[in-house]
Amino acid sequence: MAERRTRYARDPLGLKRALSDRLLPGLVAAMALLAALALAGSRGAAALKDRWQQGAAAAVTVQLPPEQAARMDDALSLLRAMPGVAAAEAVDSARMRELLRPWLGEVPALPLPSVLELRLENLSIDPAPIGRQLAEAVPGAELEAHGIWVARLAALARSVQGVALAVLALVVGVAVAVVAVATRAGLASRRQAIEILHDLGATQGDIAGRFARRIGLLAAGGALAGAALAVPTLGAMASLAAPLSGGVVQPWSALPWLDLLLLPPVAGAIGWATAQFSVRRWLKRLP
Amino acid sequence: MVRFTAVGLRYPSPDGQEGPEALADLTFTLPEGSFTWLLGASGAGKSSLLRLMHLALLPTRGELEVLGVRVNAARRGALPALRRRIGVVFQDFRLLPYLSAFDNVALPLRLAGRSEASLRPDVTEMLRWVGLQGKELSLPQQLSGGEQQRIAIARAVVTRPALLVADEPTGNLDSHQARRLLALLAQMNRLGTTVVVATHSEDLVEQFPAQALLLEDGRVVHHG
Ligand SMILES: Nc1ncnc2c1ncn2[C@@H]1O[C@H](COP(=O)(O)OP(=O)(O)OP(=O)(O)O)[C@@H](O)[C@H]1O
Ligand SMILES: [Mg+2]
């Protein structure tokens, strides 16, 4: 009996029934799952972008065979004069050794090819004609353009990140709308009770607070479920993406745990604030 | 004290336009600690006047002062505290359907922030006073009309309000219970509560002679 009393005392508006614990948490769980995927997508794209942008520093390299090493300056001036080439620089032998050490170890005696780095004016320029023209002038010169592909992938990762953030913003917007609709439904079904409480001297803050606490709690619970559902999905995706970002395969540490942990409190805060706003606006009609 | 000065009240009509005035040119003063019968035919405006008195509505013109507060000039945020000093028995009871008799009566005390331990004896005693001991856990729909009305009365007086406003409080009561209620109202009035009771019952008025306010078509036609 005492238990029943305290339960009623905490809920004079009957919100446990007016704001059911099924629909709103279910919708918020689905949106939290989407938000978690978007967040993970954005973080993953950002990591790939950073990695690829470093790799793309030398977009295009040109190799001259050792016997043509003397013609380095000819090759440089030829390349610099070509349309589409923004810059061309020789890679000095110290840096060459640095670059090759992981592959060849310390081998100062080895005859190293002469290497040039090119920067093209933009990523859409086709490097193949440049290579052909150079090979006519300096036989044996070879052009290596994989850096262009890496740079194009980095640009793709950048736009994937942008899309993921836009999806996130959309999910937040839809969440606010869903909470506002749920609050309005609750207000409509408890209209009489609200008017009675108001006439008995309840403050706006009291009434709005009851709605906001209930809805904040439901939203946080839904988001917790959504975040939990996201964990296995993201784990699988992380183990697929790990090799691409150059990491060791460690799916559990690769998950955006902080983002997942923040989802429930953020969803709760969004629900609380939206309910406060909707109820206070509705209460303006009462004197 | 309650003071009306040239007060008018217009309900909005369903199409959003302004309707006719339900109350017009009300000017009167009810002194602190007075007892007043509010009389008038059905539709004369008794309930409307009481709604102004307990601040469920604000006047559309004129000046209204309740318990020393000028309602028109008051901040909106100041009104809830003022409402909590007024006890109201609504003509249609307005009980919360999913709260027990106990919780309905306890509601104004809880809104005032009283602790659970301190409100329990008051609520229990009030329920006993209106003859509902043993029905603490019943929901309103499990009670008769008269029992519901007595819960509404208990809820109105449990806070020992400075102003008590009762709209047809005996409409569903037998004559014995009506006399009991009248004794309760008279006792509260002796203890300093300003009491206003709207009624159609001439019997009731005869049992407790006091000043009367007679309404006709939304205007005061007699006061004294
Ligand atoms: N919510 C409302 N909206 C519009 N008009 C209303 C509203 N309530 C009352 N009225 C009008 O105000 C007038 C006075 O009504 P009120 O309820 O105050 O009368 P009353 O004296 O309490 O009648 P009764 O003795 O039947 O309870 C009536 O003409 C009624 O049509
Ligand atoms: Mg009436």
Side-chain angles (χ1 to χ4, degrees), chain A residues 1 5 8-9 12-14 190 193 196 198-199 201 204 206 286-287, chain B residues 56 58 76 80 83-84 94 96 98 102-103 107 110-111 120 137 155:
Chain A
M1 188 174 108
R5 239 176 228 166
Y8 281 137
L13 287 171
R190 288 296 180 255
I196 294 170
H198 170 266
D199 285 358
Q204 278 199 30
D206 186 3
L286 302 179
Chain B
L58 298 180
R76 230 171 96 85
R83 285 190 190 103
R84 289 199 290 272
R94 310 192 74 192
L96 291 172
Y98 35 81
F102 183 97
D103 287 319
L107 190 57
R110 285 176 175 146
L111 285 176
R120 185 143 307 166
L137 292 184
R155 184 180 67 184

PDB file of all heavy atoms in Angstrom, chain A residues 1 5 8-9 12-14 190 193 196 198-199 201 204 206 286-287, chain B residues 56 58 76 80 83-84 94 96 98 102-103 107 110-111 120 137 155:
ATOM      1  N   MET A   1       0.831  -1.195   0.000  1.00  0.00           N
ATOM      2  CA  MET A   1       0.000   0.000   0.000  1.00  0.00           C
ATOM      3  C   MET A   1       0.868   1.248   0.000  1.00  0.00           C
ATOM      4  O   MET A   1       0.690   2.150  -0.800  1.00  0.00           O
ATOM      5  CB  MET A   1      -0.890  -0.008   1.240  1.00  0.00           C
ATOM      6  CG  MET A   1      -1.918   1.107   1.225  1.00  0.00           C
ATOM      7  SD  MET A   1      -3.055   0.929   2.617  1.00  0.00           S
ATOM      8  CE  MET A   1      -2.527   2.271   3.643  1.00  0.00           C
ATOM      9  N   ARG A   5       1.277   4.136  -2.898  1.00  0.00           N
ATOM     10  CA  ARG A   5       1.097   5.555  -2.626  1.00  0.00           C
ATOM     11  C   ARG A   5       2.250   6.390  -3.167  1.00  0.00           C
ATOM     12  O   ARG A   5       2.050   7.385  -3.821  1.00  0.00           O
ATOM     13  CB  ARG A   5       0.994   5.756  -1.122  1.00  0.00           C
ATOM     14  CG  ARG A   5      -0.294   6.405  -0.727  1.00  0.00           C
ATOM     15  CD  ARG A   5      -0.358   6.482   0.765  1.00  0.00           C
ATOM     16  NE  ARG A   5      -1.634   5.999   1.238  1.00  0.00           N
ATOM     17  CZ  ARG A   5      -1.887   5.698   2.492  1.00  0.00           C
ATOM     18  NH1 ARG A   5      -0.934   5.808   3.398  1.00  0.00           N
ATOM     19  NH2 ARG A   5      -3.082   5.304   2.845  1.00  0.00           N
ATOM     20  N   TYR A   8       2.162   6.683  -6.950  1.00  0.00           N
ATOM     21  CA  TYR A   8       1.204   7.676  -7.437  1.00  0.00           C
ATOM     22  C   TYR A   8       1.679   9.087  -7.126  1.00  0.00           C
ATOM     23  O   TYR A   8       1.513   9.996  -7.914  1.00  0.00           O
ATOM     24  CB  TYR A   8      -0.164   7.439  -6.800  1.00  0.00           C
ATOM     25  CG  TYR A   8      -0.926   6.322  -7.451  1.00  0.00           C
ATOM     26  CD1 TYR A   8      -1.603   5.390  -6.704  1.00  0.00           C
ATOM     27  CD2 TYR A   8      -0.952   6.219  -8.830  1.00  0.00           C
ATOM     28  CE1 TYR A   8      -2.300   4.369  -7.298  1.00  0.00           C
ATOM     29  CE2 TYR A   8      -1.643   5.195  -9.433  1.00  0.00           C
ATOM     30  CZ  TYR A   8      -2.321   4.268  -8.666  1.00  0.00           C
ATOM     31  OH  TYR A   8      -2.998   3.260  -9.263  1.00  0.00           O
ATOM     32  N   ALA A   9       2.271   9.234  -5.922  1.00  0.00           N
ATOM     33  CA  ALA A   9       2.687  10.567  -5.511  1.00  0.00           C
ATOM     34  C   ALA A   9       3.699  11.132  -6.486  1.00  0.00           C
ATOM     35  O   ALA A   9       3.716  12.320  -6.754  1.00  0.00           O
ATOM     36  CB  ALA A   9       3.295  10.502  -4.115  1.00  0.00           C
ATOM     37  N   PRO A  12       1.520  12.352 -10.483  1.00  0.00           N
ATOM     38  CA  PRO A  12       0.117  12.791 -10.412  1.00  0.00           C
ATOM     39  C   PRO A  12      -0.495  13.026 -11.794  1.00  0.00           C
ATOM     40  O   PRO A  12      -1.710  13.087 -11.914  1.00  0.00           O
ATOM     41  CB  PRO A  12       0.192  14.092  -9.610  1.00  0.00           C
ATOM     42  CG  PRO A  12       1.570  14.588  -9.821  1.00  0.00           C
ATOM     43  CD  PRO A  12       2.438  13.373  -9.965  1.00  0.00           C
ATOM     44  N   LEU A  13       0.333  13.149 -12.821  1.00  0.00           N
ATOM     45  CA  LEU A  13      -0.213  13.376 -14.164  1.00  0.00           C
ATOM     46  C   LEU A  13      -0.431  12.063 -14.916  1.00  0.00           C
ATOM     47  O   LEU A  13      -0.854  12.073 -16.066  1.00  0.00           O
ATOM     48  CB  LEU A  13       0.725  14.277 -14.969  1.00  0.00           C
ATOM     49  CG  LEU A  13       0.716  15.755 -14.551  1.00  0.00           C
ATOM     50  CD1 LEU A  13       1.831  16.516 -15.241  1.00  0.00           C
ATOM     51  CD2 LEU A  13      -0.618  16.385 -14.889  1.00  0.00           C
ATOM     52  N   GLY A  14      -0.126  10.940 -14.271  1.00  0.00           N
ATOM     53  CA  GLY A  14      -0.312   9.658 -14.945  1.00  0.00           C
ATOM     54  C   GLY A  14       0.557   9.545 -16.197  1.00  0.00           C
ATOM     55  O   GLY A  14       0.136   8.975 -17.205  1.00  0.00           O
ATOM     56  N   ARG A 190      -3.369  14.233 -21.483  1.00  0.00           N
ATOM     57  CA  ARG A 190      -3.399  14.612 -20.066  1.00  0.00           C
ATOM     58  C   ARG A 190      -3.832  16.057 -19.879  1.00  0.00           C
ATOM     59  O   ARG A 190      -3.564  16.667 -18.855  1.00  0.00           O
ATOM     60  CB  ARG A 190      -2.024  14.391 -19.434  1.00  0.00           C
ATOM     61  CG  ARG A 190      -1.689  12.934 -19.237  1.00  0.00           C
ATOM     62  CD  ARG A 190      -2.647  12.285 -18.250  1.00  0.00           C
ATOM     63  NE  ARG A 190      -2.362  10.878 -18.028  1.00  0.00           N
ATOM     64  CZ  ARG A 190      -3.079   9.886 -18.532  1.00  0.00           C
ATOM     65  NH1 ARG A 190      -4.119  10.146 -19.309  1.00  0.00           N
ATOM     66  NH2 ARG A 190      -2.774   8.637 -18.282  1.00  0.00           N
ATOM     67  N   ALA A 193      -5.889  16.735 -16.684  1.00  0.00           N
ATOM     68  CA  ALA A 193      -5.096  16.611 -15.460  1.00  0.00           C
ATOM     69  C   ALA A 193      -4.172  17.817 -15.307  1.00  0.00           C
ATOM     70  O   ALA A 193      -3.994  18.342 -14.210  1.00  0.00           O
ATOM     71  CB  ALA A 193      -4.295  15.314 -15.491  1.00  0.00           C
ATOM     72  N   ILE A 196      -6.162  20.733 -14.102  1.00  0.00           N
ATOM     73  CA  ILE A 196      -6.496  20.613 -12.676  1.00  0.00           C
ATOM     74  C   ILE A 196      -5.274  20.971 -11.825  1.00  0.00           C
ATOM     75  O   ILE A 196      -5.361  21.774 -10.896  1.00  0.00           O
ATOM     76  CB  ILE A 196      -6.986  19.186 -12.352  1.00  0.00           C
ATOM     77  CG1 ILE A 196      -8.321  18.922 -13.055  1.00  0.00           C
ATOM     78  CG2 ILE A 196      -7.135  19.005 -10.854  1.00  0.00           C
ATOM     79  CD1 ILE A 196      -8.772  17.475 -12.996  1.00  0.00           C
ATOM     80  N   HIS A 198      -2.809  22.772 -12.619  1.00  0.00           N
ATOM     81  CA  HIS A 198      -2.568  24.209 -12.777  1.00  0.00           C
ATOM     82  C   HIS A 198      -3.498  25.006 -11.867  1.00  0.00           C
ATOM     83  O   HIS A 198      -3.073  25.924 -11.163  1.00  0.00           O
ATOM     84  CB  HIS A 198      -2.787  24.586 -14.244  1.00  0.00           C
ATOM     85  CG  HIS A 198      -2.814  26.051 -14.499  1.00  0.00           C
ATOM     86  ND1 HIS A 198      -3.993  26.764 -14.534  1.00  0.00           N
ATOM     87  CD2 HIS A 198      -1.829  26.937 -14.715  1.00  0.00           C
ATOM     88  CE1 HIS A 198      -3.715  28.038 -14.765  1.00  0.00           C
ATOM     89  NE2 HIS A 198      -2.414  28.161 -14.886  1.00  0.00           N
ATOM     90  N   ASP A 199      -4.792  24.615 -11.843  1.00  0.00           N
ATOM     91  CA  ASP A 199      -5.748  25.342 -11.009  1.00  0.00           C
ATOM     92  C   ASP A 199      -5.471  25.157  -9.520  1.00  0.00           C
ATOM     93  O   ASP A 199      -5.852  25.991  -8.704  1.00  0.00           O
ATOM     94  CB  ASP A 199      -7.189  24.895 -11.323  1.00  0.00           C
ATOM     95  CG  ASP A 199      -7.678  25.475 -12.645  1.00  0.00           C
ATOM     96  OD1 ASP A 199      -6.912  26.230 -13.266  1.00  0.00           O
ATOM     97  OD2 ASP A 199      -8.814  25.163 -13.056  1.00  0.00           O
ATOM     98  N   GLY A 201      -2.560  25.191  -8.327  1.00  0.00           N
ATOM     99  CA  GLY A 201      -1.381  25.978  -7.967  1.00  0.00           C
ATOM    100  C   GLY A 201      -0.052  25.368  -8.354  1.00  0.00           C
ATOM    101  O   GLY A 201       0.983  25.763  -7.834  1.00  0.00           O
ATOM    102  N   GLN A 204       4.434  26.256 -13.741  1.00  0.00           N
ATOM    103  CA  GLN A 204       4.835  25.787 -15.075  1.00  0.00           C
ATOM    104  C   GLN A 204       6.039  24.870 -14.984  1.00  0.00           C
ATOM    105  O   GLN A 204       6.108  23.838 -15.635  1.00  0.00           O
ATOM    106  CB  GLN A 204       5.240  26.985 -15.933  1.00  0.00           C
ATOM    107  CG  GLN A 204       4.109  27.706 -16.566  1.00  0.00           C
ATOM    108  CD  GLN A 204       4.630  28.537 -17.735  1.00  0.00           C
ATOM    109  OE1 GLN A 204       5.608  28.177 -18.381  1.00  0.00           O
ATOM    110  NE2 GLN A 204       3.977  29.634 -17.989  1.00  0.00           N
ATOM    111  N   ASP A 206       6.985  23.003 -12.549  1.00  0.00           N
ATOM    112  CA  ASP A 206       6.626  21.709 -11.982  1.00  0.00           C
ATOM    113  C   ASP A 206       6.052  20.794 -13.061  1.00  0.00           C
ATOM    114  O   ASP A 206       6.499  19.655 -13.249  1.00  0.00           O
ATOM    115  CB  ASP A 206       5.599  21.940 -10.858  1.00  0.00           C
ATOM    116  CG  ASP A 206       5.261  20.660 -10.104  1.00  0.00           C
ATOM    117  OD1 ASP A 206       5.873  19.622 -10.418  1.00  0.00           O
ATOM    118  OD2 ASP A 206       4.384  20.699  -9.228  1.00  0.00           O
ATOM    119  N   LEU A 286      -2.778  28.718 -20.694  1.00  0.00           N
ATOM    120  CA  LEU A 286      -3.426  28.815 -19.382  1.00  0.00           C
ATOM    121  C   LEU A 286      -2.974  30.109 -18.696  1.00  0.00           C
ATOM    122  O   LEU A 286      -1.837  30.527 -18.876  1.00  0.00           O
ATOM    123  CB  LEU A 286      -3.051  27.605 -18.516  1.00  0.00           C
ATOM    124  CG  LEU A 286      -3.399  26.241 -19.088  1.00  0.00           C
ATOM    125  CD1 LEU A 286      -2.955  25.142 -18.144  1.00  0.00           C
ATOM    126  CD2 LEU A 286      -4.896  26.144 -19.350  1.00  0.00           C
ATOM    127  N   PRO A 287      -3.866  30.733 -17.880  1.00  0.00           N
ATOM    128  CA  PRO A 287      -3.484  31.995 -17.251  1.00  0.00           C
ATOM    129  C   PRO A 287      -2.414  31.809 -16.184  1.00  0.00           C
ATOM    130  O   PRO A 287      -2.310  30.735 -15.629  1.00  0.00           O
ATOM    131  CB  PRO A 287      -4.777  32.508 -16.628  1.00  0.00           C
ATOM    132  CG  PRO A 287      -5.646  31.321 -16.488  1.00  0.00           C
ATOM    133  CD  PRO A 287      -5.262  30.367 -17.588  1.00  0.00           C
TER     134      PRO A 287
ATOM    135  N   ALA B  56      -8.579  30.721 -12.128  1.00  0.00           N
ATOM    136  CA  ALA B  56      -8.560  29.805 -13.266  1.00  0.00           C
ATOM    137  C   ALA B  56      -8.749  30.608 -14.547  1.00  0.00           C
ATOM    138  O   ALA B  56      -8.386  30.155 -15.639  1.00  0.00           O
ATOM    139  CB  ALA B  56      -9.653  28.765 -13.133  1.00  0.00           C
ATOM    140  N   LEU B  58      -8.617  34.932 -16.010  1.00  0.00           N
ATOM    141  CA  LEU B  58      -8.294  36.320 -15.671  1.00  0.00           C
ATOM    142  C   LEU B  58      -9.365  37.206 -16.293  1.00  0.00           C
ATOM    143  O   LEU B  58      -9.913  36.891 -17.355  1.00  0.00           O
ATOM    144  CB  LEU B  58      -6.909  36.694 -16.219  1.00  0.00           C
ATOM    145  CG  LEU B  58      -5.749  35.870 -15.638  1.00  0.00           C
ATOM    146  CD1 LEU B  58      -4.430  36.325 -16.237  1.00  0.00           C
ATOM    147  CD2 LEU B  58      -5.708  35.985 -14.122  1.00  0.00           C
ATOM    148  N   ARG B  76       2.948  36.699 -14.012  1.00  0.00           N
ATOM    149  CA  ARG B  76       2.393  35.363 -14.204  1.00  0.00           C
ATOM    150  C   ARG B  76       3.002  34.379 -13.213  1.00  0.00           C
ATOM    151  O   ARG B  76       2.309  33.529 -12.664  1.00  0.00           O
ATOM    152  CB  ARG B  76       2.725  34.908 -15.618  1.00  0.00           C
ATOM    153  CG  ARG B  76       1.555  34.387 -16.405  1.00  0.00           C
ATOM    154  CD  ARG B  76       2.013  34.198 -17.832  1.00  0.00           C
ATOM    155  NE  ARG B  76       2.403  32.808 -18.077  1.00  0.00           N
ATOM    156  CZ  ARG B  76       1.547  31.855 -18.410  1.00  0.00           C
ATOM    157  NH1 ARG B  76       0.292  32.119 -18.522  1.00  0.00           N
ATOM    158  NH2 ARG B  76       1.964  30.636 -18.626  1.00  0.00           N
ATOM    159  N   PRO B  80       0.807  31.017  -9.280  1.00  0.00           N
ATOM    160  CA  PRO B  80       0.693  29.694  -8.655  1.00  0.00           C
ATOM    161  C   PRO B  80       0.723  29.746  -7.125  1.00  0.00           C
ATOM    162  O   PRO B  80      -0.074  29.070  -6.468  1.00  0.00           O
ATOM    163  CB  PRO B  80       1.896  28.928  -9.227  1.00  0.00           C
ATOM    164  CG  PRO B  80       2.121  29.551 -10.553  1.00  0.00           C
ATOM    165  CD  PRO B  80       1.813  31.017 -10.360  1.00  0.00           C
ATOM    166  N   ARG B  83      -2.578  30.840  -5.975  1.00  0.00           N
ATOM    167  CA  ARG B  83      -3.588  29.777  -6.120  1.00  0.00           C
ATOM    168  C   ARG B  83      -3.494  28.776  -4.980  1.00  0.00           C
ATOM    169  O   ARG B  83      -4.504  28.223  -4.548  1.00  0.00           O
ATOM    170  CB  ARG B  83      -3.389  29.036  -7.451  1.00  0.00           C
ATOM    171  CG  ARG B  83      -3.857  29.814  -8.651  1.00  0.00           C
ATOM    172  CD  ARG B  83      -3.863  28.943  -9.904  1.00  0.00           C
ATOM    173  NE  ARG B  83      -4.082  29.809 -11.055  1.00  0.00           N
ATOM    174  CZ  ARG B  83      -3.137  30.198 -11.901  1.00  0.00           C
ATOM    175  NH1 ARG B  83      -1.902  29.750 -11.753  1.00  0.00           N
ATOM    176  NH2 ARG B  83      -3.408  31.012 -12.883  1.00  0.00           N
ATOM    177  N   ARG B  84      -2.282  28.517  -4.501  1.00  0.00           N
ATOM    178  CA  ARG B  84      -2.138  27.512  -3.439  1.00  0.00           C
ATOM    179  C   ARG B  84      -2.703  28.001  -2.114  1.00  0.00           C
ATOM    180  O   ARG B  84      -2.861  27.204  -1.192  1.00  0.00           O
ATOM    181  CB  ARG B  84      -0.653  27.130  -3.292  1.00  0.00           C
ATOM    182  CG  ARG B  84      -0.156  26.299  -4.468  1.00  0.00           C
ATOM    183  CD  ARG B  84       1.123  25.544  -4.134  1.00  0.00           C
ATOM    184  NE  ARG B  84       2.275  26.429  -3.993  1.00  0.00           N
ATOM    185  CZ  ARG B  84       3.059  26.796  -5.002  1.00  0.00           C
ATOM    186  NH1 ARG B  84       2.842  26.326  -6.196  1.00  0.00           N
ATOM    187  NH2 ARG B  84       4.071  27.594  -4.795  1.00  0.00           N
ATOM    188  N   ARG B  94     -13.644  17.650 -10.617  1.00  0.00           N
ATOM    189  CA  ARG B  94     -12.316  17.648 -11.199  1.00  0.00           C
ATOM    190  C   ARG B  94     -11.314  16.852 -10.367  1.00  0.00           C
ATOM    191  O   ARG B  94     -10.237  17.342 -10.006  1.00  0.00           O
ATOM    192  CB  ARG B  94     -11.831  19.089 -11.396  1.00  0.00           C
ATOM    193  CG  ARG B  94     -12.874  19.930 -12.122  1.00  0.00           C
ATOM    194  CD  ARG B  94     -12.322  21.224 -12.582  1.00  0.00           C
ATOM    195  NE  ARG B  94     -11.463  21.018 -13.729  1.00  0.00           N
ATOM    196  CZ  ARG B  94     -10.647  21.949 -14.208  1.00  0.00           C
ATOM    197  NH1 ARG B  94     -10.578  23.114 -13.636  1.00  0.00           N
ATOM    198  NH2 ARG B  94      -9.926  21.709 -15.261  1.00  0.00           N
ATOM    199  N   LEU B  96      -8.601  13.706 -10.132  1.00  0.00           N
ATOM    200  CA  LEU B  96      -7.733  13.021 -11.094  1.00  0.00           C
ATOM    201  C   LEU B  96      -8.116  11.545 -11.103  1.00  0.00           C
ATOM    202  O   LEU B  96      -8.052  10.867 -10.072  1.00  0.00           O
ATOM    203  CB  LEU B  96      -6.262  13.207 -10.723  1.00  0.00           C
ATOM    204  CG  LEU B  96      -5.794  14.655 -10.905  1.00  0.00           C
ATOM    205  CD1 LEU B  96      -4.395  14.852 -10.350  1.00  0.00           C
ATOM    206  CD2 LEU B  96      -5.839  15.050 -12.369  1.00  0.00           C
ATOM    207  N   TYR B  98      -6.969   8.685 -12.107  1.00  0.00           N
ATOM    208  CA  TYR B  98      -6.084   7.546 -11.835  1.00  0.00           C
ATOM    209  C   TYR B  98      -5.379   7.711 -10.496  1.00  0.00           C
ATOM    210  O   TYR B  98      -4.433   6.990 -10.207  1.00  0.00           O
ATOM    211  CB  TYR B  98      -5.057   7.389 -12.955  1.00  0.00           C
ATOM    212  CG  TYR B  98      -4.636   8.719 -13.507  1.00  0.00           C
ATOM    213  CD1 TYR B  98      -3.690   9.473 -12.863  1.00  0.00           C
ATOM    214  CD2 TYR B  98      -5.256   9.247 -14.644  1.00  0.00           C
ATOM    215  CE1 TYR B  98      -3.353  10.720 -13.321  1.00  0.00           C
ATOM    216  CE2 TYR B  98      -4.915  10.490 -15.109  1.00  0.00           C
ATOM    217  CZ  TYR B  98      -3.960  11.227 -14.440  1.00  0.00           C
ATOM    218  OH  TYR B  98      -3.642  12.466 -14.887  1.00  0.00           O
ATOM    219  N   PHE B 102      -7.060   9.037  -1.400  1.00  0.00           N
ATOM    220  CA  PHE B 102      -5.983   9.602  -0.570  1.00  0.00           C
ATOM    221  C   PHE B 102      -5.105  10.539  -1.396  1.00  0.00           C
ATOM    222  O   PHE B 102      -4.824  11.669  -0.998  1.00  0.00           O
ATOM    223  CB  PHE B 102      -5.133   8.467   0.014  1.00  0.00           C
ATOM    224  CG  PHE B 102      -4.048   8.955   0.942  1.00  0.00           C
ATOM    225  CD1 PHE B 102      -4.232   8.965   2.307  1.00  0.00           C
ATOM    226  CD2 PHE B 102      -2.844   9.423   0.434  1.00  0.00           C
ATOM    227  CE1 PHE B 102      -3.242   9.437   3.164  1.00  0.00           C
ATOM    228  CE2 PHE B 102      -1.855   9.894   1.272  1.00  0.00           C
ATOM    229  CZ  PHE B 102      -2.055   9.898   2.648  1.00  0.00           C
ATOM    230  N   ASP B 103      -4.672  10.063  -2.573  1.00  0.00           N
ATOM    231  CA  ASP B 103      -3.737  10.870  -3.369  1.00  0.00           C
ATOM    232  C   ASP B 103      -4.391  12.120  -3.929  1.00  0.00           C
ATOM    233  O   ASP B 103      -3.738  13.154  -4.084  1.00  0.00           O
ATOM    234  CB  ASP B 103      -3.146  10.024  -4.500  1.00  0.00           C
ATOM    235  CG  ASP B 103      -2.148   9.012  -3.965  1.00  0.00           C
ATOM    236  OD1 ASP B 103      -1.367   9.376  -3.082  1.00  0.00           O
ATOM    237  OD2 ASP B 103      -2.172   7.850  -4.421  1.00  0.00           O
ATOM    238  N   LEU B 107      -2.952  15.817  -2.978  1.00  0.00           N
ATOM    239  CA  LEU B 107      -2.320  16.531  -4.098  1.00  0.00           C
ATOM    240  C   LEU B 107      -1.932  17.979  -3.780  1.00  0.00           C
ATOM    241  O   LEU B 107      -0.779  18.371  -4.004  1.00  0.00           O
ATOM    242  CB  LEU B 107      -3.247  16.455  -5.312  1.00  0.00           C
ATOM    243  CG  LEU B 107      -2.672  16.941  -6.631  1.00  0.00           C
ATOM    244  CD1 LEU B 107      -1.405  16.183  -6.970  1.00  0.00           C
ATOM    245  CD2 LEU B 107      -3.697  16.756  -7.748  1.00  0.00           C
ATOM    246  N   ARG B 110       1.062  18.080  -1.580  1.00  0.00           N
ATOM    247  CA  ARG B 110       2.294  17.698  -2.276  1.00  0.00           C
ATOM    248  C   ARG B 110       2.760  18.820  -3.186  1.00  0.00           C
ATOM    249  O   ARG B 110       3.954  19.083  -3.303  1.00  0.00           O
ATOM    250  CB  ARG B 110       2.069  16.414  -3.084  1.00  0.00           C
ATOM    251  CG  ARG B 110       2.012  15.193  -2.176  1.00  0.00           C
ATOM    252  CD  ARG B 110       1.685  13.930  -2.929  1.00  0.00           C
ATOM    253  NE  ARG B 110       1.773  12.775  -2.022  1.00  0.00           N
ATOM    254  CZ  ARG B 110       1.006  11.707  -2.104  1.00  0.00           C
ATOM    255  NH1 ARG B 110       0.111  11.600  -3.070  1.00  0.00           N
ATOM    256  NH2 ARG B 110       1.146  10.723  -1.247  1.00  0.00           N
ATOM    257  N   LEU B 111       1.804  19.493  -3.843  1.00  0.00           N
ATOM    258  CA  LEU B 111       2.197  20.621  -4.691  1.00  0.00           C
ATOM    259  C   LEU B 111       2.848  21.717  -3.854  1.00  0.00           C
ATOM    260  O   LEU B 111       3.715  22.448  -4.327  1.00  0.00           O
ATOM    261  CB  LEU B 111       0.971  21.195  -5.423  1.00  0.00           C
ATOM    262  CG  LEU B 111       0.441  20.373  -6.587  1.00  0.00           C
ATOM    263  CD1 LEU B 111      -0.811  21.011  -7.153  1.00  0.00           C
ATOM    264  CD2 LEU B 111       1.498  20.248  -7.670  1.00  0.00           C
ATOM    265  N   ARG B 120       0.418  12.841   5.837  1.00  0.00           N
ATOM    266  CA  ARG B 120      -0.432  11.670   6.029  1.00  0.00           C
ATOM    267  C   ARG B 120      -1.511  11.871   7.104  1.00  0.00           C
ATOM    268  O   ARG B 120      -2.690  11.616   6.841  1.00  0.00           O
ATOM    269  CB  ARG B 120       0.450  10.456   6.348  1.00  0.00           C
ATOM    270  CG  ARG B 120      -0.339   9.157   6.443  1.00  0.00           C
ATOM    271  CD  ARG B 120       0.440   8.010   5.881  1.00  0.00           C
ATOM    272  NE  ARG B 120       0.909   8.303   4.533  1.00  0.00           N
ATOM    273  CZ  ARG B 120       1.835   7.582   3.904  1.00  0.00           C
ATOM    274  NH1 ARG B 120       2.375   6.557   4.512  1.00  0.00           N
ATOM    275  NH2 ARG B 120       2.199   7.888   2.688  1.00  0.00           N
ATOM    276  N   LEU B 137      -8.056   4.079  -0.673  1.00  0.00           N
ATOM    277  CA  LEU B 137      -7.401   3.557  -1.880  1.00  0.00           C
ATOM    278  C   LEU B 137      -8.340   3.444  -3.079  1.00  0.00           C
ATOM    279  O   LEU B 137      -7.932   3.003  -4.143  1.00  0.00           O
ATOM    280  CB  LEU B 137      -6.762   2.200  -1.582  1.00  0.00           C
ATOM    281  CG  LEU B 137      -5.578   2.279  -0.615  1.00  0.00           C
ATOM    282  CD1 LEU B 137      -4.933   0.915  -0.450  1.00  0.00           C
ATOM    283  CD2 LEU B 137      -4.558   3.304  -1.095  1.00  0.00           C
ATOM    284  N   ARG B 155     -10.248  17.857  -0.489  1.00  0.00           N
ATOM    285  CA  ARG B 155      -9.075  18.388  -1.179  1.00  0.00           C
ATOM    286  C   ARG B 155      -9.011  19.909  -1.064  1.00  0.00           C
ATOM    287  O   ARG B 155      -7.933  20.498  -0.971  1.00  0.00           O
ATOM    288  CB  ARG B 155      -9.110  17.975  -2.664  1.00  0.00           C
ATOM    289  CG  ARG B 155      -7.882  18.412  -3.434  1.00  0.00           C
ATOM    290  CD  ARG B 155      -7.934  17.985  -4.889  1.00  0.00           C
ATOM    291  NE  ARG B 155      -8.996  18.682  -5.614  1.00  0.00           N
ATOM    292  CZ  ARG B 155      -9.304  18.439  -6.891  1.00  0.00           C
ATOM    293  NH1 ARG B 155      -8.648  17.513  -7.558  1.00  0.00           N
ATOM    294  NH2 ARG B 155     -10.264  19.114  -7.479  1.00  0.00           N
TER     295      ARG B 155
END
